[in-house]
Amino acid sequence: MAQITDKTREEVKEVVLDFFAEECEMEIDEISEDSSIIGDLDGDSLMFLELIEIFKKRFNLNIELKIIGKFAVKNPVQTVGELIDMQLLIIEHENNILNL
Amino acid sequence: MNTAFIFPAFIADYTEKEVDFLVRNGIDINVYIKNVSGVLELDLPLFSYNSIEYKQDELLSQIIAYLFACAISDALRSQSIKPDFVSGYSMGIYAALYAAKSVTIEDGANLIVNAFKIVEEVTKTGEYGMAAVIGLSVDDIVQLISANKLDAEIININNKHSIVIAGVKKHIKLFLILAQKEGAMSVSELTVNTPYHSKYLMNYSKKFENFVQSVDINKAEIPIISTYNQRLCISSEDIKLDLVHNLTEKIHWHKTMQKLIELDASCFYECGAGKDLTKIARFIDGDYKIKSIYKL
């Protein structure tokens, strides 16, 4: 289990905002934690998967996509802030996320 | 460095920049609609982003996707952007043929209408459907279908995380529930009643082949990459065979993109409304860029 610090949260937030800014061709300051992933950013599940892969490499995570999928179905995210929180949970708990 | 034009099958969502793009290039989509209306003897409505007919009717949705694809290809060519290769995703094959100068715009539309009519008795039953699954592997899906004795099959692999299935509609619906339980990141039933690229259309293969033989299909000026076997189709005979395969056999978009990348295609233009192929390319590795017209 990884320890989540303020620094980790900042790092995850930066990666997520950079990702959406590039994908959506927007300025980072146009995206906030309240931005709706679907409504404001035209996000989709493939984007979500790509973010998971980015964090998987960055934090050397041992995760199975199917486990994340099961967790995401029970805990759907709608905003960028919620997505950041979910990524932090994935980093912290990896394949144990379903036990939360 | 080569350029490829790729053509989508349907339009999931308009970016609502398509008409502006065409107008800037001196093209009116409604002129294309009127031209094929006369030839097909179909009363095609004029286009607007709110046109319900083009969203709800399976045949009309294919025709409008085709006409946008042809118009966008024409617009790119008017900017002196020419492809070295073309390929059409599913029913996007007809626009690929047009872009390769293998068929006229009218003959391409005629092929769409006749393919649709030939399999219409299957469509009309309302018993078949298709679905997209994101986040499960091929093995997971095969196992789910087999373990639950579902009358369905994988008919296309978009990329390593996105797979399309076709089958008996009630089994497709059950599959979607099971897939989510298994851990699929998302599942969606496609708004079609025709199980394209599947064994359920095999009985119509000969009939469509006979029709295809009657159509004036020329040697392609630009190689067409088959989504069925990834071969380069240039001769009229190869193209005709590929048209039949495209309707009734499984396709593999991931391999098709890989083939194009192997052929040194590094600049792709998504010639169609929306940005579905750009989205699908997310998990197709390679050193390339896809340009959607909404960004041009």
PDB file of all heavy atoms in Angstrom, chain B residues 10-11 28 31 33 35 47 82 118 124 131 146 152 160-161 177 179-180 191 202 211 218 223 225 229 253 266 269:
ATOM      1  N   PHE B  10     -20.314   5.037 -38.733  1.00  0.00           N
ATOM      2  CA  PHE B  10     -21.502   5.766 -38.295  1.00  0.00           C
ATOM      3  C   PHE B  10     -21.045   7.074 -37.651  1.00  0.00           C
ATOM      4  O   PHE B  10     -19.855   7.302 -37.478  1.00  0.00           O
ATOM      5  CB  PHE B  10     -22.288   4.948 -37.252  1.00  0.00           C
ATOM      6  CG  PHE B  10     -22.923   3.729 -37.831  1.00  0.00           C
ATOM      7  CD1 PHE B  10     -22.321   2.484 -37.707  1.00  0.00           C
ATOM      8  CD2 PHE B  10     -24.125   3.819 -38.507  1.00  0.00           C
ATOM      9  CE1 PHE B  10     -22.901   1.352 -38.247  1.00  0.00           C
ATOM     10  CE2 PHE B  10     -24.718   2.693 -39.060  1.00  0.00           C
ATOM     11  CZ  PHE B  10     -24.107   1.452 -38.926  1.00  0.00           C
ATOM     12  N   ILE B  11     -21.985   7.868 -37.274  1.00  0.00           N
ATOM     13  CA  ILE B  11     -21.660   9.120 -36.589  1.00  0.00           C
ATOM     14  C   ILE B  11     -22.255   9.031 -35.187  1.00  0.00           C
ATOM     15  O   ILE B  11     -23.478   9.102 -35.021  1.00  0.00           O
ATOM     16  CB  ILE B  11     -22.238  10.340 -37.334  1.00  0.00           C
ATOM     17  CG1 ILE B  11     -21.732  10.359 -38.785  1.00  0.00           C
ATOM     18  CG2 ILE B  11     -21.865  11.638 -36.600  1.00  0.00           C
ATOM     19  CD1 ILE B  11     -22.454  11.329 -39.689  1.00  0.00           C
ATOM     20  N   ASP B  28     -21.169  22.076 -50.000  1.00  0.00           N
ATOM     21  CA  ASP B  28     -22.466  22.092 -49.310  1.00  0.00           C
ATOM     22  C   ASP B  28     -22.935  20.639 -49.202  1.00  0.00           C
ATOM     23  O   ASP B  28     -23.204  19.998 -50.221  1.00  0.00           O
ATOM     24  CB  ASP B  28     -23.451  22.932 -50.124  1.00  0.00           C
ATOM     25  CG  ASP B  28     -24.842  22.974 -49.492  1.00  0.00           C
ATOM     26  OD1 ASP B  28     -25.097  22.245 -48.510  1.00  0.00           O
ATOM     27  OD2 ASP B  28     -25.684  23.731 -50.014  1.00  0.00           O
ATOM     28  N   VAL B  31     -25.969  19.533 -51.146  1.00  0.00           N
ATOM     29  CA  VAL B  31     -25.852  19.267 -52.590  1.00  0.00           C
ATOM     30  C   VAL B  31     -25.540  17.778 -52.795  1.00  0.00           C
ATOM     31  O   VAL B  31     -26.115  17.118 -53.670  1.00  0.00           O
ATOM     32  CB  VAL B  31     -24.748  20.146 -53.224  1.00  0.00           C
ATOM     33  CG1 VAL B  31     -24.465  19.715 -54.654  1.00  0.00           C
ATOM     34  CG2 VAL B  31     -25.154  21.617 -53.171  1.00  0.00           C
ATOM     35  N   ILE B  33     -26.390  15.428 -50.765  1.00  0.00           N
ATOM     36  CA  ILE B  33     -27.625  14.704 -50.415  1.00  0.00           C
ATOM     37  C   ILE B  33     -28.596  14.718 -51.594  1.00  0.00           C
ATOM     38  O   ILE B  33     -29.161  13.675 -51.963  1.00  0.00           O
ATOM     39  CB  ILE B  33     -28.269  15.330 -49.156  1.00  0.00           C
ATOM     40  CG1 ILE B  33     -27.405  15.038 -47.921  1.00  0.00           C
ATOM     41  CG2 ILE B  33     -29.697  14.815 -48.948  1.00  0.00           C
ATOM     42  CD1 ILE B  33     -27.859  15.748 -46.651  1.00  0.00           C
ATOM     43  N   ASN B  35     -27.961  15.103 -54.744  1.00  0.00           N
ATOM     44  CA  ASN B  35     -27.459  14.302 -55.868  1.00  0.00           C
ATOM     45  C   ASN B  35     -27.766  12.815 -55.702  1.00  0.00           C
ATOM     46  O   ASN B  35     -28.242  12.175 -56.634  1.00  0.00           O
ATOM     47  CB  ASN B  35     -25.937  14.476 -56.011  1.00  0.00           C
ATOM     48  CG  ASN B  35     -25.583  15.802 -56.625  1.00  0.00           C
ATOM     49  OD1 ASN B  35     -26.446  16.498 -57.151  1.00  0.00           O
ATOM     50  ND2 ASN B  35     -24.318  16.176 -56.542  1.00  0.00           N
ATOM     51  N   PHE B  47     -29.925  18.114 -44.510  1.00  0.00           N
ATOM     52  CA  PHE B  47     -29.241  17.854 -43.244  1.00  0.00           C
ATOM     53  C   PHE B  47     -29.264  19.045 -42.301  1.00  0.00           C
ATOM     54  O   PHE B  47     -29.103  20.191 -42.713  1.00  0.00           O
ATOM     55  CB  PHE B  47     -27.768  17.486 -43.507  1.00  0.00           C
ATOM     56  CG  PHE B  47     -26.990  17.302 -42.228  1.00  0.00           C
ATOM     57  CD1 PHE B  47     -27.105  16.136 -41.503  1.00  0.00           C
ATOM     58  CD2 PHE B  47     -26.196  18.332 -41.724  1.00  0.00           C
ATOM     59  CE1 PHE B  47     -26.422  15.978 -40.297  1.00  0.00           C
ATOM     60  CE2 PHE B  47     -25.511  18.182 -40.524  1.00  0.00           C
ATOM     61  CZ  PHE B  47     -25.631  17.005 -39.807  1.00  0.00           C
ATOM     62  N   LYS B  82      -3.541  14.580 -50.271  1.00  0.00           N
ATOM     63  CA  LYS B  82      -3.917  13.344 -50.977  1.00  0.00           C
ATOM     64  C   LYS B  82      -3.421  12.140 -50.182  1.00  0.00           C
ATOM     65  O   LYS B  82      -2.298  12.150 -49.675  1.00  0.00           O
ATOM     66  CB  LYS B  82      -3.316  13.328 -52.379  1.00  0.00           C
ATOM     67  CG  LYS B  82      -3.988  14.334 -53.284  1.00  0.00           C
ATOM     68  CD  LYS B  82      -3.404  14.309 -54.680  1.00  0.00           C
ATOM     69  CE  LYS B  82      -4.083  15.404 -55.504  1.00  0.00           C
ATOM     70  NZ  LYS B  82      -3.388  15.641 -56.756  1.00  0.00           N
ATOM     71  N   ILE B 118     -30.436  -6.142 -48.836  1.00  0.00           N
ATOM     72  CA  ILE B 118     -30.186  -7.585 -48.940  1.00  0.00           C
ATOM     73  C   ILE B 118     -30.251  -8.261 -47.570  1.00  0.00           C
ATOM     74  O   ILE B 118     -30.736  -9.388 -47.446  1.00  0.00           O
ATOM     75  CB  ILE B 118     -28.841  -7.846 -49.667  1.00  0.00           C
ATOM     76  CG1 ILE B 118     -29.046  -7.601 -51.164  1.00  0.00           C
ATOM     77  CG2 ILE B 118     -28.318  -9.260 -49.417  1.00  0.00           C
ATOM     78  CD1 ILE B 118     -27.774  -7.538 -51.987  1.00  0.00           C
ATOM     79  N   LYS B 124     -35.050  -6.491 -39.958  1.00  0.00           N
ATOM     80  CA  LYS B 124     -36.454  -6.269 -39.608  1.00  0.00           C
ATOM     81  C   LYS B 124     -36.955  -7.134 -38.462  1.00  0.00           C
ATOM     82  O   LYS B 124     -37.936  -6.795 -37.807  1.00  0.00           O
ATOM     83  CB  LYS B 124     -37.341  -6.512 -40.845  1.00  0.00           C
ATOM     84  CG  LYS B 124     -37.453  -5.293 -41.738  1.00  0.00           C
ATOM     85  CD  LYS B 124     -38.424  -5.587 -42.861  1.00  0.00           C
ATOM     86  CE  LYS B 124     -38.683  -4.325 -43.677  1.00  0.00           C
ATOM     87  NZ  LYS B 124     -39.429  -4.640 -44.907  1.00  0.00           N
ATOM     88  N   ALA B 131     -22.854  -4.565 -29.834  1.00  0.00           N
ATOM     89  CA  ALA B 131     -22.477  -3.826 -28.631  1.00  0.00           C
ATOM     90  C   ALA B 131     -20.978  -3.614 -28.602  1.00  0.00           C
ATOM     91  O   ALA B 131     -20.217  -4.382 -29.203  1.00  0.00           O
ATOM     92  CB  ALA B 131     -22.906  -4.591 -27.377  1.00  0.00           C
ATOM     93  N   SER B 146     -19.008 -18.073 -24.038  1.00  0.00           N
ATOM     94  CA  SER B 146     -19.036 -19.530 -24.010  1.00  0.00           C
ATOM     95  C   SER B 146     -19.656 -20.059 -22.705  1.00  0.00           C
ATOM     96  O   SER B 146     -20.535 -20.931 -22.730  1.00  0.00           O
ATOM     97  CB  SER B 146     -17.608 -20.022 -24.202  1.00  0.00           C
ATOM     98  OG  SER B 146     -17.448 -21.298 -23.708  1.00  0.00           O
ATOM     99  N   ALA B 152     -23.740 -15.105 -29.588  1.00  0.00           N
ATOM    100  CA  ALA B 152     -23.076 -13.834 -29.926  1.00  0.00           C
ATOM    101  C   ALA B 152     -21.622 -14.137 -30.248  1.00  0.00           C
ATOM    102  O   ALA B 152     -21.124 -15.217 -29.900  1.00  0.00           O
ATOM    103  CB  ALA B 152     -23.156 -12.869 -28.755  1.00  0.00           C
ATOM    104  N   LYS B 160      -6.666  -2.600 -28.096  1.00  0.00           N
ATOM    105  CA  LYS B 160      -6.505  -3.661 -27.095  1.00  0.00           C
ATOM    106  C   LYS B 160      -7.540  -3.583 -25.965  1.00  0.00           C
ATOM    107  O   LYS B 160      -7.684  -4.527 -25.204  1.00  0.00           O
ATOM    108  CB  LYS B 160      -5.081  -3.668 -26.540  1.00  0.00           C
ATOM    109  CG  LYS B 160      -4.692  -2.447 -25.754  1.00  0.00           C
ATOM    110  CD  LYS B 160      -3.258  -2.615 -25.256  1.00  0.00           C
ATOM    111  CE  LYS B 160      -2.799  -1.365 -24.535  1.00  0.00           C
ATOM    112  NZ  LYS B 160      -1.437  -1.414 -24.059  1.00  0.00           N
ATOM    113  N   HIS B 161      -8.245  -2.485 -25.852  1.00  0.00           N
ATOM    114  CA  HIS B 161      -9.247  -2.369 -24.796  1.00  0.00           C
ATOM    115  C   HIS B 161     -10.679  -2.211 -25.300  1.00  0.00           C
ATOM    116  O   HIS B 161     -11.593  -2.035 -24.503  1.00  0.00           O
ATOM    117  CB  HIS B 161      -8.930  -1.170 -23.895  1.00  0.00           C
ATOM    118  CG  HIS B 161      -7.670  -1.327 -23.102  1.00  0.00           C
ATOM    119  ND1 HIS B 161      -7.438  -2.416 -22.295  1.00  0.00           N
ATOM    120  CD2 HIS B 161      -6.578  -0.545 -22.990  1.00  0.00           C
ATOM    121  CE1 HIS B 161      -6.256  -2.282 -21.713  1.00  0.00           C
ATOM    122  NE2 HIS B 161      -5.712  -1.170 -22.124  1.00  0.00           N
ATOM    123  N   ILE B 177     -24.749  -7.029 -19.181  1.00  0.00           N
ATOM    124  CA  ILE B 177     -24.858  -7.097 -17.709  1.00  0.00           C
ATOM    125  C   ILE B 177     -23.703  -7.921 -17.146  1.00  0.00           C
ATOM    126  O   ILE B 177     -23.028  -7.524 -16.196  1.00  0.00           O
ATOM    127  CB  ILE B 177     -26.221  -7.722 -17.306  1.00  0.00           C
ATOM    128  CG1 ILE B 177     -27.357  -6.809 -17.756  1.00  0.00           C
ATOM    129  CG2 ILE B 177     -26.291  -7.992 -15.810  1.00  0.00           C
ATOM    130  CD1 ILE B 177     -28.741  -7.448 -17.701  1.00  0.00           C
ATOM    131  N   ALA B 179     -20.852  -8.558 -18.543  1.00  0.00           N
ATOM    132  CA  ALA B 179     -19.554  -7.913 -18.794  1.00  0.00           C
ATOM    133  C   ALA B 179     -19.266  -6.865 -17.721  1.00  0.00           C
ATOM    134  O   ALA B 179     -18.129  -6.734 -17.274  1.00  0.00           O
ATOM    135  CB  ALA B 179     -19.541  -7.283 -20.182  1.00  0.00           C
ATOM    136  N   GLN B 180     -20.284  -6.148 -17.330  1.00  0.00           N
ATOM    137  CA  GLN B 180     -20.069  -5.140 -16.280  1.00  0.00           C
ATOM    138  C   GLN B 180     -19.728  -5.813 -14.949  1.00  0.00           C
ATOM    139  O   GLN B 180     -18.862  -5.348 -14.219  1.00  0.00           O
ATOM    140  CB  GLN B 180     -21.314  -4.264 -16.125  1.00  0.00           C
ATOM    141  CG  GLN B 180     -21.410  -3.253 -17.262  1.00  0.00           C
ATOM    142  CD  GLN B 180     -21.490  -1.822 -16.781  1.00  0.00           C
ATOM    143  OE1 GLN B 180     -22.512  -1.432 -16.271  1.00  0.00           O
ATOM    144  NE2 GLN B 180     -20.423  -1.059 -16.958  1.00  0.00           N
ATOM    145  N   THR B 191     -26.902   1.268 -31.652  1.00  0.00           N
ATOM    146  CA  THR B 191     -28.281   1.478 -32.109  1.00  0.00           C
ATOM    147  C   THR B 191     -28.463   0.914 -33.518  1.00  0.00           C
ATOM    148  O   THR B 191     -28.800   1.631 -34.461  1.00  0.00           O
ATOM    149  CB  THR B 191     -28.625   2.984 -32.099  1.00  0.00           C
ATOM    150  OG1 THR B 191     -27.614   3.649 -32.864  1.00  0.00           O
ATOM    151  CG2 THR B 191     -28.676   3.529 -30.699  1.00  0.00           C
ATOM    152  N   MET B 202     -24.134 -14.555 -42.962  1.00  0.00           N
ATOM    153  CA  MET B 202     -23.439 -15.417 -43.921  1.00  0.00           C
ATOM    154  C   MET B 202     -24.362 -15.868 -45.062  1.00  0.00           C
ATOM    155  O   MET B 202     -23.926 -15.979 -46.210  1.00  0.00           O
ATOM    156  CB  MET B 202     -22.877 -16.633 -43.188  1.00  0.00           C
ATOM    157  CG  MET B 202     -21.759 -17.308 -43.906  1.00  0.00           C
ATOM    158  SD  MET B 202     -20.380 -16.213 -44.159  1.00  0.00           S
ATOM    159  CE  MET B 202     -19.539 -16.378 -42.613  1.00  0.00           C
ATOM    160  N   PHE B 211     -24.858  -8.955 -56.398  1.00  0.00           N
ATOM    161  CA  PHE B 211     -25.141  -7.541 -56.626  1.00  0.00           C
ATOM    162  C   PHE B 211     -23.842  -6.775 -56.897  1.00  0.00           C
ATOM    163  O   PHE B 211     -23.762  -5.965 -57.842  1.00  0.00           O
ATOM    164  CB  PHE B 211     -25.886  -6.917 -55.436  1.00  0.00           C
ATOM    165  CG  PHE B 211     -26.022  -5.433 -55.606  1.00  0.00           C
ATOM    166  CD1 PHE B 211     -26.934  -4.924 -56.523  1.00  0.00           C
ATOM    167  CD2 PHE B 211     -25.204  -4.552 -54.927  1.00  0.00           C
ATOM    168  CE1 PHE B 211     -27.020  -3.553 -56.742  1.00  0.00           C
ATOM    169  CE2 PHE B 211     -25.287  -3.191 -55.141  1.00  0.00           C
ATOM    170  CZ  PHE B 211     -26.204  -2.681 -56.051  1.00  0.00           C
ATOM    171  N   ASN B 218     -14.141   0.233 -60.276  1.00  0.00           N
ATOM    172  CA  ASN B 218     -12.887   0.392 -61.017  1.00  0.00           C
ATOM    173  C   ASN B 218     -11.679   0.017 -60.173  1.00  0.00           C
ATOM    174  O   ASN B 218     -11.762  -0.031 -58.937  1.00  0.00           O
ATOM    175  CB  ASN B 218     -12.736   1.848 -61.456  1.00  0.00           C
ATOM    176  CG  ASN B 218     -13.896   2.286 -62.321  1.00  0.00           C
ATOM    177  OD1 ASN B 218     -14.297   1.561 -63.233  1.00  0.00           O
ATOM    178  ND2 ASN B 218     -14.477   3.431 -62.011  1.00  0.00           N
ATOM    179  N   PRO B 223      -4.354   2.483 -52.965  1.00  0.00           N
ATOM    180  CA  PRO B 223      -4.619   1.174 -52.346  1.00  0.00           C
ATOM    181  C   PRO B 223      -5.585   1.279 -51.155  1.00  0.00           C
ATOM    182  O   PRO B 223      -5.470   2.198 -50.337  1.00  0.00           O
ATOM    183  CB  PRO B 223      -3.228   0.729 -51.882  1.00  0.00           C
ATOM    184  CG  PRO B 223      -2.262   1.507 -52.702  1.00  0.00           C
ATOM    185  CD  PRO B 223      -2.921   2.807 -52.998  1.00  0.00           C
ATOM    186  N   ILE B 225      -6.868  -0.593 -47.832  1.00  0.00           N
ATOM    187  CA  ILE B 225      -6.460  -1.646 -46.905  1.00  0.00           C
ATOM    188  C   ILE B 225      -7.716  -2.345 -46.387  1.00  0.00           C
ATOM    189  O   ILE B 225      -8.610  -1.714 -45.822  1.00  0.00           O
ATOM    190  CB  ILE B 225      -5.654  -1.082 -45.709  1.00  0.00           C
ATOM    191  CG1 ILE B 225      -4.508  -0.191 -46.202  1.00  0.00           C
ATOM    192  CG2 ILE B 225      -5.125  -2.226 -44.828  1.00  0.00           C
ATOM    193  CD1 ILE B 225      -3.479  -0.855 -47.068  1.00  0.00           C
ATOM    194  N   ASN B 229      -8.740  -8.734 -43.984  1.00  0.00           N
ATOM    195  CA  ASN B 229      -7.466  -9.472 -43.910  1.00  0.00           C
ATOM    196  C   ASN B 229      -6.241  -8.577 -44.048  1.00  0.00           C
ATOM    197  O   ASN B 229      -5.125  -9.068 -44.165  1.00  0.00           O
ATOM    198  CB  ASN B 229      -7.436 -10.585 -44.952  1.00  0.00           C
ATOM    199  CG  ASN B 229      -7.602 -10.052 -46.359  1.00  0.00           C
ATOM    200  OD1 ASN B 229      -7.523  -8.852 -46.587  1.00  0.00           O
ATOM    201  ND2 ASN B 229      -7.843 -10.944 -47.300  1.00  0.00           N
ATOM    202  N   TRP B 253     -10.048  -3.831 -36.883  1.00  0.00           N
ATOM    203  CA  TRP B 253      -9.585  -2.465 -37.093  1.00  0.00           C
ATOM    204  C   TRP B 253      -8.187  -2.259 -36.514  1.00  0.00           C
ATOM    205  O   TRP B 253      -7.372  -1.550 -37.102  1.00  0.00           O
ATOM    206  CB  TRP B 253     -10.574  -1.475 -36.486  1.00  0.00           C
ATOM    207  CG  TRP B 253     -10.190  -0.055 -36.765  1.00  0.00           C
ATOM    208  CD1 TRP B 253      -9.775   0.884 -35.888  1.00  0.00           C
ATOM    209  CD2 TRP B 253     -10.165   0.585 -38.062  1.00  0.00           C
ATOM    210  NE1 TRP B 253      -9.491   2.071 -36.539  1.00  0.00           N
ATOM    211  CE2 TRP B 253      -9.715   1.915 -37.872  1.00  0.00           C
ATOM    212  CE3 TRP B 253     -10.466   0.156 -39.362  1.00  0.00           C
ATOM    213  CZ2 TRP B 253      -9.575   2.816 -38.930  1.00  0.00           C
ATOM    214  CZ3 TRP B 253     -10.323   1.065 -40.416  1.00  0.00           C
ATOM    215  CH2 TRP B 253      -9.883   2.368 -40.186  1.00  0.00           C
ATOM    216  N   SER B 266       2.056   7.855 -41.251  1.00  0.00           N
ATOM    217  CA  SER B 266       2.274   8.553 -39.984  1.00  0.00           C
ATOM    218  C   SER B 266       1.320   9.726 -39.822  1.00  0.00           C
ATOM    219  O   SER B 266       1.231  10.325 -38.770  1.00  0.00           O
ATOM    220  CB  SER B 266       3.716   9.032 -39.878  1.00  0.00           C
ATOM    221  OG  SER B 266       4.010   9.859 -40.976  1.00  0.00           O
ATOM    222  N   TYR B 269      -5.884  11.076 -41.565  1.00  0.00           N
ATOM    223  CA  TYR B 269      -7.015  12.009 -41.523  1.00  0.00           C
ATOM    224  C   TYR B 269      -8.283  11.203 -41.289  1.00  0.00           C
ATOM    225  O   TYR B 269      -8.568  10.266 -42.046  1.00  0.00           O
ATOM    226  CB  TYR B 269      -7.141  12.779 -42.837  1.00  0.00           C
ATOM    227  CG  TYR B 269      -6.071  13.832 -43.014  1.00  0.00           C
ATOM    228  CD1 TYR B 269      -4.844  13.512 -43.571  1.00  0.00           C
ATOM    229  CD2 TYR B 269      -6.291  15.141 -42.586  1.00  0.00           C
ATOM    230  CE1 TYR B 269      -3.848  14.469 -43.720  1.00  0.00           C
ATOM    231  CE2 TYR B 269      -5.302  16.110 -42.732  1.00  0.00           C
ATOM    232  CZ  TYR B 269      -4.090  15.764 -43.294  1.00  0.00           C
ATOM    233  OH  TYR B 269      -3.110  16.717 -43.435  1.00  0.00           O
TER     234      TYR B 269
END
